[in-house]
Amino acid sequence: MSQRDFLKLSDLTTSEIEAIWKRTKEYKEGQAKNKPLQGKTIGLLFEKPSTRTRLSFEVAVIQTGGHPVFISSRDTQMSRNEPLKDTARILSRYLDGLVVRTFSQKTLDELAGFSAVPVINALSDLYHPAQILSDLYTIRERKSDLQGMKIAWLGDGNNVAHSWIEAACLFPFQLILACPKGFEPNEAIWEKAKKEAGERVRLTDDPIEAVRKAQVINTDVWASMGQEDQALDRIQFFQAFQLNGNLLSLAEPDCMVLHCLPAHRGEEITDEVLEGPNSAVFDQAENKLHVHKALLEFLLDGGKNFGR
Ligand code: CP
Ligand code: NVA
């Protein structure tokens, strides 16, 4: 039986997330001096490429006193169909925690179900919860309060969008998603959010409606990892959803632009917007490191040093 996992954002409560952010600030400001992961070894099992998530977790482990071990699934017996339930039980006899980037959420659920150590989702086809934990932190850092804020999502109803939808059930902001027809979010995730967040979550296929007076605009690639063969076909459906100067001019003047990166300049976002004064993308990427330290500490050390 696994310990505390983080497979989707709603695996944490609002007050636990608040406590993680409080600790994040202490890490970022250099006030967290203890090494809660001392003596712990954390595996990073990746089935897909990664720059930010892999590195920020690896460095977070090192800087909190632990030891990271990167595991490319291709180099393991997983690539020769060793059952996940065996892999999970073996890995959790060597490791104290497992950070996983994979395709199917079922893979994560199965690994977590058979793991005796905490499992963290570092992106699946369904969710990217660790990303949204640091994206929300980045918004709070600049704008302090999420209450009533209008946050827009432009583009694909994908893994990142799904974690934003879960976030809107935990925090009192307005989330409006503009997705092309046929590329809306997962129906079950959407229906659950409608029940929990009601009118605070909205879906449209009109990007102008979504960005008008928005205080934050998020976007992401039009074809995610694993969908590369659809990339060319998708352009025709997504073109009107490009985050460019025209759309940004409809938002609040100090609107924050977020993109989890990597970005495809000239597709979902223009170079002008990504490099412009509204863009927070590099702070957003940096914050993954600080947030991951607090998340790891919470899951592996119980957050006992968190001044809640
Ligand atoms: N944002 C993000 O998850 O980036 P990587 O794919 O580089 O980890
Ligand atoms: N939606 C993107 C996010 C990359 C960080 C993907 O899954 O490829």
Side-chain angles (χ1 to χ4, degrees):
M1 186 59 199
S2 79
Q3 302 174 21
R4 195 73 193 266
D5 300 315
F6 182 56
L7 308 183
K8 55 185 188 304
L9 199 65
S10 56
D11 287 344
L12 295 173
T13 65
T14 306
S15 64
E16 286 171 341
I17 294 175
E18 293 282 1
I20 288 169
W21 287 339
K22 192 160 176 262
R23 188 65 169 158
T24 298
K25 190 165 185 286
E26 291 169 4
Y27 274 115
K28 189 165 182 178
E29 292 174 354
Q31 292 160 10
K33 301 278 183 231
N34 60 322
K35 300 278 182 210
L37 266 64
Q38 192 89 50
K40 295 193 193 296
T41 306
I42 310 301
L44 292 103
L45 176 64
F46 277 52
E47 290 189 321
K48 290 173 173 174
S50 171
T51 299
R52 281 145 289 267
T53 310
R54 171 185 171 176
L55 266 297
S56 55
F57 268 114
E58 279 199 49
V59 175
V61 171
I62 294 167
Q63 291 183 354
T64 51
H67 190 96
V69 179
F70 180 72
I71 314 155
S72 163
S73 64
R74 277 190 300 273
D75 299 327
T76 69
Q77 299 289 5
M78 285 172 76
S79 65
R80 297 175 60 247
N81 295 326
E82 181 165 19
L84 288 171
K85 61 183 181 182
D86 294 359
T87 305
R89 283 175 291 180
I90 302 306
L91 292 185
S92 59
R93 289 190 182 210
Y94 303 146
L95 301 168
D96 299 288
L98 189 61
V99 177
V100 183
R101 173 165 285 197
T102 186
F103 291 88
S104 161
Q105 189 76 14
K106 277 194 187 139
T107 302
L108 267 170
D109 291 341
E110 196 170 340
L111 285 171
F114 284 93
S115 168
V117 299
V119 175
I120 299 175
N121 183 351
L123 182 145
S124 66
D125 287 348
L126 204 59
Y127 293 117
H128 197 1
Q131 179 70 47
I132 275 48
L133 213 53
S134 51
D135 295 354
L136 285 167
Y137 180 82
T138 308
I139 296 174
R140 286 262 303 245
E141 204 174 34
R142 293 200 180 191
K143 295 193 178 277
S144 73
D145 195 5
L146 295 167
Q147 175 83 39
M149 184 179 286
K150 180 176 177 184
I151 300 184
W153 173 267
L154 276 187
D156 196 15
N158 64 12
N159 44 7
V160 180
H162 293 155
S163 287
W164 270 106
I165 293 169
E166 283 217 303
C169 298
L170 293 165
F171 294 94
F173 59 85
Q174 308 278 332
L175 179 68
I176 177 159
L177 298 103
C179 307
K181 284 200 169 71
F183 298 94
E184 293 91 356
N186 172 288
E187 219 173 293
I189 293 172
W190 183 248
E191 288 310 318
K192 181 171 173 281
K194 284 304 291 176
K195 279 198 193 104
E196 292 178 19
E199 290 307 303
R200 287 193 300 100
V201 291
R202 282 189 296 141
L203 183 59
T204 176
D205 61 358
D206 178 2
I208 291 175
E209 184 192 343
V211 301
R212 191 171 280 131
K213 297 205 178 310
Q215 284 137 304
V216 177
I217 306 176
N218 270 286
T219 191
D220 187 13
V221 290
W222 292 342
S224 287
M225 288 180 274
Q227 299 173 330
E228 288 81 1
D229 58 339
Q230 301 171 32
L232 273 180
D233 272 1
R234 283 183 172 224
I235 292 175
Q236 57 185 311
F237 302 108
F238 281 84
Q239 200 65 68
F241 296 77
Q242 180 188 69
L243 181 50
N244 53 32
N246 287 341
L247 276 187
L248 185 59
S249 71
L250 303 172
E252 290 290 320
D254 64 347
C255 175
M256 261 176 92
V257 167
L258 295 180
H259 189 313
C260 63
L261 304 177
H264 293 171
R265 287 167 166 84
E267 291 185 22
E268 76 277 1
I269 192 164
T270 58
D271 186 57
E272 170 204 20
V273 171
L274 192 76
E275 301 287 353
N278 296 77
S279 172
V281 300
F282 295 103
D283 283 350
Q284 182 187 1
E286 178 192 329
N287 282 335
K288 287 169 73 83
L289 169 64
H290 310 298
V291 169
H292 291 167
K293 289 184 193 175
L295 175 66
L296 287 163
E297 180 178 358
F298 179 79
L299 294 173
L300 282 122
D301 197 45
K304 54 181 183 280
N305 293 311
F306 286 32
R308 263 188 274 181

